[in-house]
């Protein structure tokens, strides 16, 4: 297969790519920087949230679990506020300070509940991010969590977190 060198202002020329990776060329660098920069304004990584919370003191944000009471009881991020999405419009003003950014989460990457709760909060005027990976990746990365029975923690999944290291380096 022939490869075609792409520049910021070119599209592939010559042969058509037989795979989907470059069938549509990458965005120009300025567009990519804008897109990925915006993505970071909307999302927080589980490890970054855990690190900020573990540092002690005020992390500058509050974590919000938008799941049902049954899900909350099964396990949640320590110190998180429990506010199911359906109750945000009614109760956010009593539980959250509008001046403090909120990081929402739900079950995991296969669930868009964190996005729905983030949207509901943004529509009320809150600064908000979604925690990518949700509660699933919190547990899979080996961070402690709370249940209705007390604290719990599982070993880190080596597919989601480095074994024997404090950080992944990304």
């Amino acid at each position: 297969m022939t490869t075609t060198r792409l520049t910021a202002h070119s599209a592939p020329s010559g042969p058509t790519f037989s795979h989907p990776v470059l069938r549509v060329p990458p965005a120009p660098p300025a567009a990519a920087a804008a897109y990925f920069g915006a993505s970071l304004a909307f999302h927080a990584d589980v490890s970054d949230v855990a690190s900020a919370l573990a540092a002690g003191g005020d992390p500058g944000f509050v974590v919000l679990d938008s799941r049902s009471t049954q899900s909350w009881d099964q396990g949640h991020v320590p110190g998180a506020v429990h506010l199911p999405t359906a109750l945000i419009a009614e109760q956010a003003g009593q539980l959250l300070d509008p001046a403090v950014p909120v990081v929402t989460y739900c079950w995991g990457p296969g669930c868009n509940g964190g996005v729905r709760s983030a949207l509901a909060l943004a529509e009320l005027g809150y600064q908000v991010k979604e925690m990518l990976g949700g509660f699933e990746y919190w547990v899979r990365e080996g961070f402690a969590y709370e249940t209705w029975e007390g604290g719990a923690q599982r070993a880190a999944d080596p597919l989601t977190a480095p074994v024997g290291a404090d950080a992944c380096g990304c």
Side-chain angles (χ1 to χ4, degrees), residues 86-102:
L87 301 175
I88 287 176
E90 177 186 329
Q91 297 181 8
Q94 298 149 6
L95 297 174
L96 302 171
D97 180 347
V100 177
V102 180

Side-chain angles (χ1 to χ4, degrees), residues 97-167:
D97 180 347
V100 177
V102 180
V103 176
T104 67
Y105 73 89
C106 198
W107 272 112
C111 173
N112 66 2
V115 172
R116 279 188 252 137
S117 63
L119 174 59
L121 288 164
E123 289 174 338
L124 293 174
Y126 289 87
Q127 295 177 33
V128 63
K129 290 187 175 200
E130 176 197 15
M131 185 174 76
L132 294 176
F135 183 67
E136 175 189 346
Y137 275 71
W138 185 273
V139 174
R140 288 183 74 186
E141 291 191 22
F143 299 116
Y145 59 96
E146 296 174 348
T147 74
W148 69 275
E149 297 175 306
Q153 188 170 9
R154 296 182 184 180
D157 179 341
L159 295 175
T160 64
V163 176
D166 292 334

